[in-house]
């Protein structure tokens, strides 16, 4: 089972700093930390425990997800939630596990020393992704992501989408025709 | 009280499908005292059960059984197993629909005559004229509460409409308003008026939008002459030695096969399932399927020339607030070959929520070009193009050679190639739509490809002559007197307008015809 847990849970796990492997990320320069079977974001207080995929693979997958659908205003946590299904599927289906592990390994190989996450610029990583765009690995990751990322209710406000409206009486008195700049 | 009929009752009219065509026909017949059983493949969800959430609603209502696709249309690449976005639920696609209710134009009933010979198109005139349809159009509009008819006010315009209207004015378009919508603008028919919730495609939780689910069906049931049997998937129509149809074999809620006897059978499963059922009902007497002496069953599949244009502005729009299809421009709906194509198209506002926008804006694309569009979701406005597409014999529904569904019925393959006329029209509409939004200050516009088909038409078409089509001007099959087609698959050509008002109109007209033939004992 993959769980994404909030700060309290992260603290309770009392992760030994010494065992942490620091992983540099491109872009915003935030850090994802791998500990045992978990990917942890200490700054943003969440963690993701993997059961079938290697946590390093998961950390890279989170970066791949962001590079596929980059939204600078969306925190990593939502990308992590969006890809955690691959770990769940991998736990049940060895073929899927192999697809993801091999796909990430291939990306790391193409990236050279330092691996995929070691590439500092988004453009460099995107160039690698473009090279594998037609592969079943990429298709599986992108295809699932378009639902699993954008269907999280928590990200909707970031985009200004208000979601369910029936319980609030619709928009008849809440701005359905409030445009003023025309 | 809703009726309950015995499987062996061979006096009933059996209708397959409870959507726009089937649900309306069922009620109309029941009102005349005729006993009807509607077999509906989907479950019954009442409108309180609808969900204001795009994917959850899709899971609740949509037809998700596997279909395959072929042809050069982009849907086959983007959504190979989802050629159509339609419904499997009591009420059919009238649960999902937006409510735009437009009459066809006179010349659209005479497509072959008006457009002349179009290479690669299988055009034919309808065996009915607008004049014959008009009294029935009026009945349909009254039944459905269409705004802008019968003195019902049009709906108020939402933000998305206001942007459209401002652009229409800038381009000099004359006919732009909030549409003729089968949505209550005032309380009527014991139903609410529109509360501008913005989830018309997910089923209207207020019941303000017309759907057979909570209008025709309960009204028919109240007569004691209508039974709707949900979770009942028709698989085969049986006939006797004389060639008359005698009953319908269906899989019940437990997957068990049953046969409902019938005096008359009316097929209204929408334009993919209706021909699938007729083709699957082949027998030694009818080796190519029922009602198929012309060979036209499943052919001439039309889906309207569609596409969308979304635009981003430097200030907020919030297009998702309020009615999904909140307004229309009709100026391009005329037939004017000087534009480089025959037939015309409508432009109608459209909005998708964030989850569907991500899935449909440019399927398969990724990276910043795509994501920066979504970053401005709340600054977006959008319109949908709906225009006449060309019927083509090779655009067709066939039974899959190998793959079968859970009941052992071959699944449907949907083949579609865009006709050059479709492409010319779509490109014209894209540039008009983009110019319209640019005129209001859009900083970026998106010519968005067609979604899986919401309008599915033409696969059992009406024709004057039996050799040209499947049914006559009343939807009665040319080959079998007591077999009718009652949905959009009857359409001889597609016209520029959204189809449902015409489907309902044909169903009301067909009910009169069936009742008259029954009393005359000809069927
Ligand atoms: C999102 C969306 C928006 C739309 N907006 C508009 C609009 O604004 N204006 C407009 O005019 N049209 C609109 N449409 C199209 C409109 O919904 C359809 O044209 C109309 O509902 C078709 O009517 P029908 O009777 O042919 O089929 P449907 O309404 O689809 O009904 C067919 C029914 O038959 C059932 N069925 C199929 N096969 C079987 C079987 N073998 N056994 C038993 N039951 C079966 C199905 O489950 C379904 O319930 C929209 C459609 C969608 C999806
Ligand atoms: S906007 Fe109006 S018609 Fe559409 S779902 Fe809401 S109340 Fe119903």
């Amino acid at each position: 089972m993959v769980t994404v847990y909030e700060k309290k849970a992260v603290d309770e796990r009392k992760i030994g700093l010494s065992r942490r492997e620091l992983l540099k990320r491109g872009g915003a320069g935030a850090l994802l930390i791998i500990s045992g079977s978990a990917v942890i974001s200490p700054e943003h207080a969440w963690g993701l425990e993997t059961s079938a995929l290697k946590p390093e693979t998961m950390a890279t997958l989170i970066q791949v997800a962001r590079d596929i659908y980059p939204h600078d205003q969306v925190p990593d946590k939502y990308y992590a939630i969006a890809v955690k299904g691959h770990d769940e599927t991998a736990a049940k289906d060895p073929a899927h596990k192999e697809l993801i592990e091999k796909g990430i390994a291939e990306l790391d190989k193409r990236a050279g020393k330092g691996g995929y996450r070691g590439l500092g610029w988004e453009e460099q990583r995107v160039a690698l992704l473009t090279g594998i765009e037609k592969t079943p690995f990429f298709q599986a990751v992108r295809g699932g992501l378009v639902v699993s990322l954008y269907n999280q209710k928590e990200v909707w406000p970031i985009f200004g989408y208000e979601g369910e409206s029936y319980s609030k009486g619709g928009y008849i008195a809440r701005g359905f025709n409030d445009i003023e700049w025309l | 009280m809703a009726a309950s009929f015995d499987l062996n009752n061979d006096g009933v009219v059996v209708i397959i499908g409870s959507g726009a065509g089937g649900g309306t026909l069922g009620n109309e017949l029941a009102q005349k005292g005729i006993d009807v059983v509607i077999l509906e493949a989907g479950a019954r969800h009442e409108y309180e059960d609808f969900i204001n959430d795009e994917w959850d609603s899709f899971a609740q209502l949509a037809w998700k059984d596997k279909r395959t696709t072929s042809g050069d249309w982009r849907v086959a690449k983007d959504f190979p197993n989802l050629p159509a976005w339609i419904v499997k639920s009591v009420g059919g696609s009238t649960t999902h629909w937006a409510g735009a209710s437009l009459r066809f134009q006179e010349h659209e009933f005479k497509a072959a005559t008006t457009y002349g010979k179009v290479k690669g198109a299988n055009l034919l005139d309808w065996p009915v004229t607008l004049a014959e349809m008009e009294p029935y159009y009026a009945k349909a509009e009254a039944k459905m509460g269409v705004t802008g008819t019968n003195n019902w006010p049009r709906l108020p315009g939402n933000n998305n409409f206001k942007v459209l209207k401002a652009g229409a004015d800038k381009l000099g378009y004359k006919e732009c308003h909030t549409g003729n919508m089968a949505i209550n603008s005032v309380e009527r028919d014991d139903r609410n008026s529109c509360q501008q919730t913005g989830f018309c495609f997910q089923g209207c939780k207020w019941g303000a939008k017309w759907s057979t689910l909570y209008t025709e069906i309960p009204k028919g049931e109240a007569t004691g002459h209508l039974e709707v049997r949900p979770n009942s998937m028709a698989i085969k129509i049986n006939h006797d030695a004389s060639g008359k149809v005698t009953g319908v074999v269906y899989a019940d809620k437990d997957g068990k096969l049953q046969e409902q006897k019938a005096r008359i059978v009316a097929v209204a499963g929408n334009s993919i399932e209706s021909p699938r059922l007729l083709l699957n009902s082949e027998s030694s007497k009818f080796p190519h399927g029922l009602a198929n002496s012309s060979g036209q069953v499943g052919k001439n599949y039309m889906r309207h020339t569609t596409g969308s244009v979304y635009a981003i502005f430097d200030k907020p729009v919030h297009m998702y607030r309020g009615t999904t299809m909140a307004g229309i421009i009709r100026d391009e709906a005329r037939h004017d070959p000087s534009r480089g194509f025959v037939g015309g198209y409508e432009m109608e506002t459209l909005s998708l929520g964030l989850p569907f926008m991500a899935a449909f804006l440019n399927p398969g694309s990724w990276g910043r070009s795509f994501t920066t569009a979504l970053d401005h979701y709340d600054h977006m406005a959008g319109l949908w193009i709906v225009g006449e597409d060309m019927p083509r014999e090779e655009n067709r529904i066939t039974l899959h050679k190998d793959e079968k569904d859970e009941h052992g019925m071959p699944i449907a393959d949907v083949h579609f190639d865009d006709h050059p006329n479709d492409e010319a029209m779509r490109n014209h509409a894209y540039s008009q739509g983009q110019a319209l939004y640019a005129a209001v200050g859009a900083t970026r516009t998106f010519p968005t490809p067609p979604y899986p088909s919401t309008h599915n038409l033409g696969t059992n078409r009406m024709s004057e002559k039996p050799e040209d089509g499947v049914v006559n001007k009343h939807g009665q099959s040319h080959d079998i007197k007591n077999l009718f087609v009652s949905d959009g698959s009857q359409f001889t050509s597609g016209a520029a307008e959204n189809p449902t008002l015409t489907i309902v109109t044909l169903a009301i007209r067909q009910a009169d015809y069936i009742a008259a033939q029954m009393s005359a004992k000809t069927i």
Side-chain angles (χ1 to χ4, degrees):
Chain A
M1 251 297 285
V2 199
T3 37
V4 175
Y5 39 87
E6 301 289 341
K7 184 171 174 47
K8 205 163 151 276
V10 176
D11 292 346
E12 277 166 5
R13 292 172 50 84
K14 296 204 181 66
I15 296 137
L17 264 172
S18 58
R19 282 176 51 230
R20 287 181 185 172
E21 176 200 347
L22 291 184
L23 298 154
K24 283 216 169 59
R25 282 218 0 218
L31 294 170
L32 285 186
I33 290 168
I34 310 260
S35 165
S37 62
V39 182
I40 294 161
S41 166
E43 274 157 280
H44 298 104
W46 59 269
L48 173 65
E49 185 135 335
T50 62
S51 58
L53 297 174
K54 287 188 277 185
E56 292 81 2
T57 300
M58 194 47 101
T60 306
L61 202 53
I62 294 168
Q63 182 64 57
V64 167
R66 178 178 286 287
D67 292 334
I68 292 176
Y69 293 127
H71 294 287
D72 302 334
Q73 73 282 31
V74 175
D76 267 346
K77 178 182 171 181
Y78 300 111
Y79 289 98
I81 293 172
V83 294
K84 75 184 168 74
H86 289 293
D87 186 61
E88 283 157 17
T89 313
K92 283 176 255 155
D93 176 7
H96 191 76
K97 181 171 169 180
E98 186 174 313
L99 179 80
I100 302 294
E101 290 288 5
K102 279 202 166 156
I104 294 292
E106 174 66 21
L107 273 180
D108 278 336
K109 199 174 110 212
R110 291 188 185 207
K113 208 163 152 272
Y116 184 84
R117 275 176 289 137
L119 296 173
W121 286 93
E122 181 181 296
E123 282 83 345
Q124 296 174 294
R125 298 189 302 272
V126 165
L128 286 191
L129 293 179
T130 307
I132 62 155
E133 208 178 0
K134 298 268 183 295
T135 62
F137 162 72
F138 184 87
Q139 295 293 330
V141 174
R142 193 210 58 77
L145 193 60
V146 77
V147 177
S148 61
L149 177 62
Y150 298 108
N151 204 31
Q152 295 178 53
K153 291 188 174 58
E154 295 73 19
V155 310
W156 294 349
I158 304 175
F159 293 90
Y161 177 53
E162 296 169 90
E164 188 276 334
S165 85
Y166 171 75
S167 68
K168 302 174 194 124
Y171 291 103
I172 194 150
R174 295 191 312 125
F176 80 103
N177 60 355
D178 65 358
I179 199 163
E180 273 168 4
W181 53 267
L182 281 167
Chain B
M1 256 290 284
S4 171
F5 296 104
D6 193 88
L7 288 173
N8 291 316
N9 183 337
D10 59 4
V12 297
V13 176
V14 175
I15 301 175
I16 293 140
S18 62
T24 303
L25 179 66
N27 179 33
E28 289 287 319
L29 292 175
Q31 296 296 334
K32 297 175 199 292
I34 296 168
D35 292 337
V36 178
V37 174
I38 296 184
L39 299 176
E40 167 54 56
R44 189 161 181 160
H45 305 279
E46 299 300 345
Y47 66 73
E48 310 85 68
D49 307 332
F50 290 156
I51 312 168
N52 269 200
D53 181 295
E54 291 179 311
W55 285 118
D56 287 352
S57 171
F58 187 85
Q60 181 187 44
L61 299 173
W63 186 287
K64 298 179 295 294
D65 299 10
K66 186 173 178 189
R67 289 166 172 152
T68 55
T69 46
S70 52
D72 70 11
W73 58 326
R74 185 161 158 186
V75 169
K77 175 174 152 270
D78 295 335
F79 305 99
N81 298 121
L82 189 73
W85 171 10
I86 41 181
V87 174
K88 181 181 190 175
S89 187
V90 173
S93 305
T94 66
T95 57
H96 260 2
W97 81 314
S101 301
L102 303 167
R103 295 185 184 194
F104 284 10
Q105 306 167 73
E106 188 171 9
H107 70 264
E108 289 170 332
F109 287 104
K110 299 183 199 120
T113 305
T114 313
Y115 306 154
K117 182 109 195 75
V118 178
K119 202 169 159 245
N122 192 21
L123 282 168
L124 189 71
D125 289 349
W126 288 60
V128 283
T129 61
L130 177 63
E132 284 171 80
M133 291 284 280
E134 268 167 347
Y136 289 98
Y137 267 135
K139 285 188 188 182
E141 287 160 347
K143 174 195 278 295
M144 299 162 83
V146 177
T147 60
T149 75
N150 297 282
N151 295 318
W152 290 308
R154 292 191 201 274
L155 290 162
N158 68 0
N159 293 332
N160 204 15
F161 169 73
K162 288 183 171 182
V163 177
L164 182 88
K165 178 76 170 73
D169 290 347
K170 288 256 164 66
L171 293 198
Y173 283 139
K174 295 285 179 285
E175 202 181 340
C176 174
H177 49 67
T178 61
N180 298 96
M181 304 298 294
I183 296 179
N184 280 355
S185 55
V186 290
E187 277 179 38
R188 57 167 283 287
D189 200 27
D190 290 328
R191 289 184 289 117
N192 276 308
S193 61
C194 174
Q195 303 300 304
Q196 303 285 345
T197 49
F199 284 89
C200 308
F201 283 179
Q202 282 66 44
C204 179
K205 281 182 80 73
W206 302 94
K209 180 188 78 179
W210 180 85
S211 167
T212 53
L213 173 65
Y214 40 83
T215 60
E216 305 307 305
I217 288 167
K219 285 178 190 181
E221 286 172 334
T223 65
H225 293 288
L226 171 64
E227 177 188 350
V228 177
R229 224 170 275 166
N231 304 304
S232 303
M233 170 78 186
I235 285 171
K236 191 175 169 64
I237 301 170
N238 286 336
H239 63 80
D240 62 16
S242 78
K244 261 179 34 186
V245 296
T246 53
V248 179
V249 178
Y250 68 97
D252 71 11
K253 59 180 190 331
D254 306 314
K256 274 208 350 235
L257 294 190
Q258 308 283 359
E259 184 186 1
Q260 174 64 54
K261 296 282 182 205
R263 174 170 171 184
I264 293 169
V265 173
V267 183
N270 207 324
S271 293
I272 299 177
E273 293 308 311
S274 289
R276 178 185 177 210
L277 179 62
L278 293 179
L279 292 171
N280 196 52
S281 300
E282 56 164 27
S283 64
S284 51
K285 191 172 176 67
F286 300 114
H288 305 294
L290 290 190
N292 199 17
S293 65
S294 65
Q296 294 290 315
V297 171
K299 292 184 180 168
N300 310 304
Y301 170 69
M302 294 173 287
R303 60 178 312 272
H304 273 140
T305 295
T306 66
S308 310
V309 178
Y310 291 97
I312 290 175
F313 298 86
D314 57 350
K315 299 192 191 68
V317 177
H318 301 288
M319 66 173 173
Y320 55 87
R321 294 182 185 168
T323 41
T324 304
M325 207 161 261
I328 187 168
I329 298 168
R330 305 211 57 188
D331 297 59
E332 301 285 3
R334 69 192 193 279
H335 168 59
D336 171 7
S338 75
R339 290 174 298 179
F341 52 88
V342 301
Y345 62 89
E346 314 274 354
M347 293 191 266
E348 301 169 346
T349 77
L350 192 81
S351 154
L352 299 175
L354 185 76
F356 273 16
M357 187 59 81
F360 294 126
L361 179 66
N362 190 8
S365 85
W366 57 279
R368 286 210 181 250
S369 163
F370 175 76
T371 55
T372 51
L374 295 181
D375 284 340
H376 303 288
Y377 174 77
D378 55 355
H379 286 49
M380 262 187 191
L383 64 81
W384 193 58
I385 298 152
V386 48
E388 176 156 11
D389 61 339
M390 291 294 109
R392 315 186 81 181
E393 286 218 4
E394 66 267 36
N395 289 348
R396 63 188 291 200
I397 312 304
T398 50
L399 298 179
H400 199 283
K401 291 200 175 44
D402 316 308
E403 286 194 60
K404 297 198 162 65
D405 72 7
E406 57 183 315
H407 309 300
M409 183 176 180
I411 67 169
D413 181 76
V414 182
H415 181 96
F416 191 88
D417 296 320
D418 275 318
H419 187 277
N421 197 73
D422 306 345
E423 282 161 10
M425 179 186 288
R426 182 178 296 119
N427 289 335
H428 187 271
Y430 277 151
S431 50
Q432 289 307 108
Q434 292 185 283
L436 178 139
Y437 286 127
V440 216
T443 52
R444 199 173 159 199
T445 54
F446 308 87
T448 296
Y451 313 130
S453 316
T454 54
H455 299 174
N456 298 271
L457 306 166
T459 49
N460 294 304
R461 73 177 183 182
M462 269 192 186
S463 64
E464 188 74 56
K465 296 191 205 129
E467 60 268 31
D468 292 333
V470 180
V471 297
N472 68 14
K473 64 194 286 187
H474 296 290
Q476 181 178 33
S477 77
H478 288 301
D479 299 352
I480 303 171
K481 270 191 162 171
N482 65 340
L483 175 63
F484 288 77
V485 174
S486 316
D487 59 14
S489 67
Q490 298 171 81
F491 282 27
T492 311
S493 60
E497 291 73 24
N498 314 56
T500 306
L501 180 73
T502 301
I503 296 174
V504 172
T505 300
L506 288 171
I508 301 172
R509 187 166 164 274
Q510 185 177 71
D512 281 359
Y513 179 79
I514 290 177
Q517 298 298 308
M518 284 175 80
S519 20
K521 302 255 176 342
T522 58
I523 48 177

